[in-house]
Amino acid sequence: MPYFSDLLAATWLLSVGDSFELVSPAGAVAPSPPAGPAPSDVTEVAAIAAGGSGAAGALNRNRNRNRNRNRNRNRVLGGSRTGQGGGFGGAQILAPWRELEMLHRLAPAWIDLPLALPPAPSGLMAETLDLLARRALLDTLAEAARRDEILGQVDLELSGYLRPLGIESDDAMPETTALMLTVVWLAETVGLRYKARYDAPRPSEVNPQLKPFVAVPGHASYPSNHSFQSYSIAFVMARVIPEHPGISALFHSARRIAENREWAGVHYPSDSRAGHDLARMMVPVYEIVLEEQMLRARAEWL
């Protein structure tokens, strides 16, 4: 029997979740993949992602044992910007690496969703004409409140998602807040992948007469991640608390947040529609990746 040191000398010992996996160095013959057809839908992909043999299987077997120990890993950190608790502003979580890992394991279920193509260049130019009119209105006294909203929504700000549900501070419902923040992480990851695929130019690139109200992000326009993240939160919460009377208001708020980016001149209406559609198509994936968090959030409302 070889010494453990000899085994390590011929392999890499990699951490995989709460277990380890021995990986042969480059040039070694990799083990054959399991026989059988490729997964055809999100359920089959999820079964493969959660199960398997080796370290991945050990991770799955240890999941129940480690569940309670890891319950706090996505707890909301901070509170309001004042540090006094209450209010909105400073809520954040540590990177939800387990959920992100599961999301990437489920990539075959979401990497090629039937999202409509962005409009042709002539269509994008036509959309900018409406954006020019709205941009001019934005500078008027009547739209002062919208200007404040736009500036507050440049970065993640949860009041637009919590208040429709009757929550008046980041720390009032910590599991619900943590779930929303985790959804934002996942949607950011998926959204950037689709942005890179379509590589649509920003409105001000298509029509230089348009002067955006806020800084233009450095990535592509389609789909809108503000829209995608906002509607993702709304769709997930509609699964968590479908009976809540504030769910319709949450969807209205998601639409308002998406439209504000159009008023600011950084997104087309077609970007916002695509964000909504992508969020709706991602729901089956979210329900798998976020099962535990959704159940914990649900328990807060019972």
Side-chain angles (χ1 to χ4, degrees):
M1 177 179 296
Y3 289 107
F4 187 59
S5 58
D6 295 332
L7 185 61
L8 288 180
T11 58
W12 290 100
L13 184 65
L14 300 182
S15 172
V16 180
D18 295 316
S19 186
F20 296 93
E21 184 170 340
L22 291 170
V23 180
S24 299
V29 178
S32 301
S40 59
D41 61 28
V42 67
T43 305
E44 293 178 48
V45 173
I48 292 174
S53 59
L59 174 59
N60 189 47
R61 290 190 297 272
N62 288 337
R63 185 170 288 129
N64 289 335
R65 185 174 65 206
N66 294 325
R67 184 170 292 163
N68 290 335
R69 187 182 69 193
N70 292 320
R71 285 188 60 146
N72 292 330
R73 58 189 166 83
N74 282 354
R75 293 293 185 189
V76 177
L77 306 176
S80 67
R81 286 193 180 95
T82 64
Q84 302 300 314
F88 300 102
Q92 57 181 308
I93 57 172
L94 297 176
W97 64 269
R98 292 177 189 273
E99 289 78 13
L100 290 169
E101 182 182 70
M102 177 62 79
L103 178 71
H104 286 292
R105 290 182 182 179
L106 290 171
W110 59 262
I111 203 169
D112 196 23
L113 293 170
L115 189 65
L117 292 172
S122 59
L124 295 179
M125 175 58 81
E127 289 191 45
T128 66
L129 301 181
D130 173 63
L131 299 183
L132 280 169
R134 282 195 266 178
R135 180 64 187 87
L137 288 174
L138 185 62
D139 289 333
T140 65
L141 182 62
E143 297 297 339
R146 189 185 294 271
R147 291 196 300 272
D148 291 339
E149 289 177 18
I150 291 171
L151 293 174
Q153 293 162 1
V154 169
D155 296 317
L156 178 65
E157 205 276 322
L158 289 181
S159 64
Y161 313 112
L162 294 172
R163 279 199 174 123
L165 301 178
I167 305 172
E168 290 299 328
S169 70
D170 291 334
D171 51 8
M173 302 284 275
E175 296 290 358
T176 298
T177 301
L179 173 62
M180 290 182 178
L181 291 170
T182 305
V183 170
V184 168
W185 273 88
L186 301 181
E188 178 81 3
T189 301
V190 174
L192 289 175
R193 188 71 174 257
Y194 277 86
K195 284 176 178 288
R197 169 179 293 178
Y198 296 112
D199 199 25
R202 292 280 176 171
S204 56
E205 296 178 277
V206 170
N207 189 341
Q209 295 182 37
L210 182 63
K211 306 302 180 186
F213 181 66
V214 295
V216 178
H219 44 68
S221 191
Y222 185 94
S224 163
N225 255 11
H226 272 67
S227 174
F228 178 37
Q229 290 169 322
S230 298
Y231 280 114
S232 290
I233 289 174
F235 278 115
V236 168
M237 292 309 301
R239 296 302 194 274
V240 173
I241 42 174
E243 72 281 8
H244 195 292
I247 290 296
S248 60
L250 177 57
F251 275 93
H252 283 298
S253 184
R255 184 176 66 185
R256 173 83 174 191
I257 292 168
E259 290 177 347
N260 279 347
R261 300 293 283 178
E262 300 168 26
W263 280 76
V266 295
H267 274 299
Y268 310 94
S270 56
D271 294 344
S272 298
R273 290 192 297 271
H276 168 275
D277 294 346
L278 186 58
R280 176 177 51 80
M281 288 186 279
M282 279 293 296
V283 170
V285 177
Y286 291 145
E287 288 182 328
I288 294 170
V289 175
L290 299 170
E291 179 183 8
E292 293 180 24
Q293 293 89 329
M294 292 172 71
L295 290 172
R296 291 200 298 269
R298 170 74 179 172
E300 285 187 321
W301 296 90
L302 299 179

